[in-house]
């Protein structure tokens, strides 16, 4: 099935190893995730390589195997950097296996990659995608390692750990002659069909005898005739590690198809092999084995998925089941009453606050504020030094708190939502305090539980995912579509040295330790850079010394070269959120309080922060907040004369008022005694035709309450202009009810093409007046009026026919907000036509040209 999959090729060298020639990741890619709370690393699935991952994890958690592999130094295996040298012999497979084991033990990443190792096998992508049988892979991998280690001190590594001997004997019933044949094995294959469990299968294989009798006789070599005889098999030599493959897959000869045996098949955690051995006179300890790995197959006989249950013999991982975590957290929350006054635990206090909340979740900032109200001191001052930031503390207790980082909200999980009372010291009054205070450790260090659990730490390693399990969970794999496929036992006599317990660096060569240290340093650097890029925001700081308060808002008063630096600041320093409004810079919320975070208050990248003393800028008191936002209002007045001679002309100016300004104050500022103010009552997307008079009772209202916002227009009529107003209805009469506005864009000069101006007009305003006002607003030469025209701009940006200058807005059929282009050339008169034409036969490629002709001109002319 594997062909030359594991044939050693000394010309092949991985380009992905962590030394020279390391394949670099793109700079913009995120670094791999760190290990989770188990502190164990999974292995990435390359696509159907779960069988390989399960076997590699089993070998890693066979300490005697990995330490024997680590004992082989560069002087025996060579180094990968020497692969290009013609006389160098680099033993790639054991070198890559060493490096992978070192990464799995020491590199702070959630899952390691087997790309380097499979490259050393010579796998291609098609081979990787094929799913193989893990039992066959085990045998071929061992064979490849043995071949690769010939001539080194590790030449007998596989035999030393896994080699056993089975002896088959036939005993003649007449002469008692014994004929025997030895068989070497690295793993045993046992039947599943029709057998209740492993012990029964071994009994059938190594205790039960097969008899030759009746017509089925045995030819004895000593007797030289057919005789009755008995046949049996025994285990002659037991290996330190016993690998057992279960024959889950069988063939149905009636249906002519393969099938998977899913019946119940038990196997013990500890097994005594004395009944199955040839020699039985030794002490029981010589025959005792303990289960330490179960490779599990989920699926059918034509495909599926492998994962593995492994006992962490050296306790390298943090074995902490969820219920154990909750018990430890609860123990910590229930402080001893004698020590509670000295060091209070915030868990009970936070649970008490959240239990009193009616809503499922509340903002984290609100939780911090409620803690401040309850305890009289903020989280940062009381708890941060010992427990870290509040958000981090909530994230580190996912069994109790339901934390939503996107909405920045937190609540209690359902099973913790109960009537909860706490005293002023944060003690849970419903449960007695515990004597033993167990410290919750969020660091990635194995937590030692009660002695009864020592050495019984089981994990489910499922490709990249690693999670702790209970020993009794193994029973779930006795039967079903997801069931045990390979069993790995180790001799109970094999004891681990104390210094190996919880020490992943144990027996790892110095050069690999250095390599992993360097790789971890690089990972930390990349994660810090990535975290900064993902969570950092740029803030624009504005110093009050560089601003002046003018016309209702803040405006820069100094150039960049003249500005002062933040380091030279003296006196009180207050930070306020600032926003650019049409009137200028306006200040809002003050950034104050220990519990406030930039993310919590919704500051986005590029936000503006104003630095000041919180009272005044340049000697002028500054009002802050949304209730004092400055509003830019367009103020229209009737002109004293009309140059166009047709229609009505207006003057326009802009004024800034606080949105809290009373209309009475606004009228006194803008209108003479007896004057009135009118507001355009149409919506922003409608034609501005409805002008309404602000009545006397409206004068107590504010700019904000009557709906005046940036860009709104008000019309000021003095007493002599009020003949146009129907005071009974509050509306303008005659021409004034059609006051509107147009946009004019400059097309006369390239550098000013993007500049727009807004021109106020009525339906009776003539186009020549609009053009003159646009030239003034665009700050162009007045001489341009003699050689320019206004042309409507279509929705797709095309310039349409120029509008005659003596036309009114109504005659030109222009609507509110219409865009006009100020273009070179004179507009046609009422007796002329504006025509488009092209030269050539291809309409798509020939340029479009324009011409102005008299209406009376002939086609020839």
């Amino acid at each position: 099935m594997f062909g030359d999959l594991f044939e050693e090729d000394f010309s092949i060298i991985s380009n992905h190893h962590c030394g020279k020639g390391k394949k670099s990741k793109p700079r913009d890619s995120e670094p791999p995730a760190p290990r989770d709370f188990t502190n164990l690393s999974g292995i990435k699935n390359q696509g159907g390589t779960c069988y390989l991952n399960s076997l590699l994890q089993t070998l890693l958690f066979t300490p005697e195997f990995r330490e024997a592999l680590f004992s082989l130094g560069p002087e025996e295996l060579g180094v990968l950097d020497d692969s290009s040298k013609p006389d160098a012999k680099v033993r790639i497979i054991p070198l890559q296996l060493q490096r992978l084991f070192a990464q799995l033990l020491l590199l702070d990443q959630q899952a390691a990659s087997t790309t380097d190792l499979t490259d050393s096998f010579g796998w291609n992508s098609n081979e990787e995608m094929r799913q193989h049988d893990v039992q066959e892979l085990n045998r071929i991998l061992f064979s490849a390692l043995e071949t690769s280690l010939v001539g080194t001190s590790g030449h007998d590594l596989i035999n030393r750990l896994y080699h056993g001997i089975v002896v088959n004997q036939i005993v003649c019933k007449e002469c008692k002659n014994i004929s025997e044949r030895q068989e070497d094995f690295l793993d045993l294959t046992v039947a599943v069909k029709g057998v209740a469990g492993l012990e029964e299968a071994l009994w059938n294989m190594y205790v039960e005898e097969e008899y030759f009798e009746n017509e089925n006789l045995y030819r004895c070599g000593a007797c030289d005739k057919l005789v009755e005889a008995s046949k049996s098999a025994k285990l002659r030599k037991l290996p330190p590690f016993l690998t057992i493959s279960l024959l889950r897959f069988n063939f149905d000869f009636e249906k002519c198809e393969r099938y998977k045996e899913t019946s119940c098949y038990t196997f013990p955690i500890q097994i005594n092999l004395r009944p199955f051995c040839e020699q039985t006179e030794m002490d029981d300890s010589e025959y005792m084995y303990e289960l330490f790995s179960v490779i599990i197959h989920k699926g059918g006989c034509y495909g599926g998925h492998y994962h593995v249950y492994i006992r962490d013999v050296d306790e390298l991982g943090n074995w902490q089941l969820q219920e154990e975590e909750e018990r430890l957290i609860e123990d910590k929350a229930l402080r001893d009453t004698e020590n509670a006054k000295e060091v209070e635990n915030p868990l009970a206090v936070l649970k008490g606050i959240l239990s009193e909340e009616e809503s499922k979740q509340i903002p984290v900032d609100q939780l911090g504020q409620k803690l401040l109200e309850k305890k009289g001191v903020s989280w940062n001052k009381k708890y941060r030094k010992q427990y870290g930031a509040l958000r981090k503390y909530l994230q580190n207790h996912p069994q109790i708190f339901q934390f939503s980082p996107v909405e920045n909200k937190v609540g209690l999980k359902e099973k913790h939502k109960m009537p909860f009372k706490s005293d002023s010291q944060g003690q849970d009054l419903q449960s007695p305090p515990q004597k033993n205070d167990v410290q919750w450790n969020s660091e990635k260090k194995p937590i030692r539980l009660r002695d009864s659990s020592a050495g019984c730490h089981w994990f489910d390693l499922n490709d990249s995912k690693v999670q702790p399990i209970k020993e009794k969970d193994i029973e779930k794999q006795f039967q079903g579509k997801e069931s045990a496929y390979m069993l790995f036992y180790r001799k109970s006599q094999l004891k681990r040295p104390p210094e190996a317990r919880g020490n992943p660096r144990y027996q790892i060569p110095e050069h690999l330790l250095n390599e992993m240290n360097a790789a971890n340093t690089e990972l930390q650097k990349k994660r810090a850079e990535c975290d900064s890029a993902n969570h950092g925001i740029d803030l624009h700081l504005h110093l009050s010394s560089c601003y002046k308060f003018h016309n209702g808002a803040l405006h820069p008063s100094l150039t960049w070269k003249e500005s002062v630096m933040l380091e030279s600041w003296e006196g009180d320093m207050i930070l306020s959120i600032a926003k650019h409004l049409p009137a200028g810079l306006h200040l809002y919320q003050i950034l104050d309080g220990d519990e406030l975070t930039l993310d919590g208050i919704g500051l986005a990248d590029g936000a503006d922060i104003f630095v000041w003393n919180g009272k005044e800028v340049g000697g002028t008191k500054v009002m802050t907040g949304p209730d004092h936002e400055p509003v830019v209002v367009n103020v229209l007045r009737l002109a004293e004369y009309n140059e166009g001679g047709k229609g009505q002309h207006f003057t326009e100016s802009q004024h800034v008022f606080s949105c809290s300004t009373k209309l009475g104050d606004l009228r006194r500022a803008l209108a003479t005694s007896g004057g009135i103010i009118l507001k355009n009552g149409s919506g922003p997307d409608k034609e501005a035709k409805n002008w309404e008079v602000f009545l006397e009772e409206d004068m107590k209202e504010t700019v904000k309450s009557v709906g005046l916002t940036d860009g709104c227009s008000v019309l000021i009529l003095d007493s002599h202009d009020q003949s146009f107003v129907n005071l009974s209805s509050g509306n303008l009469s005659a021409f004034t009810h059609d006051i509107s506005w147009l946009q004019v864009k400059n097309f006369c000069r390239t550098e000013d093409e993007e500049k727009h101006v807004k021109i106020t007009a009525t339906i009776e305003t003539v186009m020549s007046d609009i053009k003159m006002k646009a030239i003034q607003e665009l700050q162009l030469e007045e001489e341009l009026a003699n050689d320019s025209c206004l042309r409507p701009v279509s929705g797709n940006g095309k310039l349409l026919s120029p509008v005659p200058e003596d036309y009114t807005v109504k005659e030109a059929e222009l609507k509110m907000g219409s865009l006009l282009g100020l273009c070179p050339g004179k507009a046609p008169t009422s007796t002329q036509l504006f025509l488009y034409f092209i030269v050539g036969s291809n309409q798509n490629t020939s340029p479009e040209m324009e011409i102005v002709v008299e209406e009376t001109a002939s086609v020839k002319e």
Side-chain angles (χ1 to χ4, degrees), residues 238-240 269-271 273 287-290 489-492:
L238 293 175
I269 298 296
Q270 289 187 325
I271 187 170
L273 296 180
Y287 306 100
M288 292 301 298
Y289 281 76
E290 296 175 349
Y489 285 87
R490 56 183 287 123
K491 265 196 172 183
S492 300

Side-chain angles (χ1 to χ4, degrees), residues 59-260:
L59 294 177
L60 174 71
F61 283 92
T62 308
E64 293 77 6
F65 175 87
R66 71 167 184 261
E67 288 166 11
L69 186 67
F70 282 142
S71 68
L72 303 173
E75 65 280 357
E76 294 188 273
L77 301 181
V79 291
L80 293 175
D81 293 335
D82 291 342
S83 61
S84 58
K85 298 179 181 178
D87 298 331
K89 184 176 182 181
V90 180
R91 304 175 189 270
I92 302 173
I93 292 178
L95 282 172
Q96 292 292 7
L97 199 54
Q98 280 186 345
R99 176 169 283 108
L100 176 63
F101 281 3
Q103 291 174 348
L104 290 170
L105 290 169
L106 299 177
L107 201 56
D108 184 21
Q109 58 183 5
Q110 185 180 14
S113 172
T114 56
T115 302
D116 296 346
L117 184 63
T118 54
D119 282 354
S120 72
F121 298 160
W123 277 16
N124 54 44
S125 58
N126 293 330
E127 187 72 42
E128 292 170 10
M129 294 303 293
R130 290 178 57 195
Q131 189 176 90
H132 302 297
D133 183 84
V134 70
Q135 178 191 4
E136 187 176 2
L137 174 66
N138 184 52
R139 293 176 178 177
I140 296 177
L141 178 59
F142 280 177
S143 176
L145 272 175
E146 279 189 312
T147 302
S148 185
L149 295 177
V150 170
T152 71
S153 59
H155 66 92
D156 62 343
L157 186 155
I158 302 300
N159 277 339
R160 194 165 71 242
L161 299 179
Y162 297 95
H163 177 257
I165 298 175
V166 172
V167 59
N168 295 285
Q169 296 180 338
I170 299 178
V171 181
C172 175
K173 289 294 184 70
E174 294 189 11
C175 69
K176 307 302 180 181
N177 179 62
I178 299 176
S179 174
E180 68 177 36
R181 177 173 54 87
Q182 283 193 168
E183 292 181 7
D184 299 321
F185 71 86
L186 296 178
D187 62 84
L188 297 177
T189 302
V190 299
V192 173
K193 183 179 180 181
V195 182
L198 175 62
E199 290 161 305
E200 182 181 343
L202 292 175
W203 184 275
N204 293 340
M205 294 170 64
Y206 302 118
V207 177
E208 294 286 348
E209 294 184 340
E210 178 184 352
Y211 294 100
F212 296 94
E213 54 189 6
N214 299 327
E215 295 180 359
N216 183 27
L217 297 175
Y218 168 71
R219 177 171 291 281
C220 176
C223 299
D224 194 23
K225 63 179 181 180
L226 294 173
V227 296
E228 292 185 350
S230 62
K231 179 182 178 182
S232 63
K234 292 288 183 181
L235 295 171
R236 173 166 287 179
K237 175 182 177 292
L238 293 175
F241 296 91
L242 181 62
T243 303
I244 299 175
S245 299
L246 309 184
L247 279 175
R248 286 282 183 188
F249 301 118
N250 285 309
F251 190 82
D252 188 330
F253 289 95
E254 291 184 2
K255 297 182 179 180
C256 290
E257 64 182 15
R258 294 182 69 203
Y259 70 95
K260 180 178 178 180

Side-chain angles (χ1 to χ4, degrees), residues 598-773:
L598 298 182
D599 181 57
I601 59 180
L603 280 185
D605 201 38
D608 295 283
I609 302 295
F610 195 77
V611 185
W612 62 315
N613 60 15
K615 299 176 182 177
E616 49 80 27
V617 174
T620 303
K621 184 179 180 180
V622 176
M623 304 300 291
T624 65
D627 292 336
H628 299 284
E629 284 183 351
V631 177
V632 179
V633 179
N634 291 323
V635 178
L636 305 179
R637 301 177 187 273
L638 295 179
E640 295 181 1
Y641 62 93
N642 180 8
E643 297 177 0
K646 186 178 182 181
Q648 180 63 46
H649 188 72
F650 293 91
T651 62
E652 180 179 359
S653 60
Q654 290 186 334
H655 294 259
V656 179
F657 295 94
S658 169
C659 65
S660 61
T661 301
K662 297 290 182 64
L663 282 186
D665 296 333
L666 184 144
R667 183 176 64 177
R668 282 190 287 274
L670 297 177
T672 59
S673 177
I676 61 174
I677 304 176
L678 298 94
K679 170 196 170 186
N680 189 334
S682 299
D685 299 325
K686 300 177 182 178
E687 295 184 7
K689 293 183 178 180
N690 185 18
W691 286 85
E692 300 176 354
V693 176
F694 285 124
L695 303 178
E696 192 62 34
E697 54 264 30
D698 295 329
M699 294 300 108
K700 294 181 180 180
E701 299 291 330
T702 64
V703 168
K704 184 177 182 179
S705 64
V706 298
L708 288 179
T709 57
D710 285 311
C712 283
S713 296
V714 296
L715 178 62
I716 306 298
L717 293 181
D718 295 330
S719 56
H720 63 274
D721 294 325
Q722 296 178 19
S723 58
F724 301 116
V725 181
N726 184 342
L727 292 177
S728 61
S729 63
N731 293 330
L732 284 176
S733 59
F735 58 86
T736 51
H737 76 283
D738 284 319
I739 294 177
S740 183
W741 59 272
L742 304 170
Q743 298 181 81
V744 179
K745 181 178 180 181
N746 180 24
F747 283 92
C748 289
R749 295 188 181 179
T750 306
E751 61 270 20
D752 295 324
E753 272 194 19
E754 297 303 320
K755 189 171 182 181
H756 290 68
V757 291
K758 190 174 177 181
I759 305 298
T760 304
T762 72
I763 59 175
E764 296 299 324
T765 305
V766 293
M767 301 307 296
S768 59
D769 289 345
I770 294 174
K771 183 178 74 172
M772 285 301 299
K773 191 167 185 179

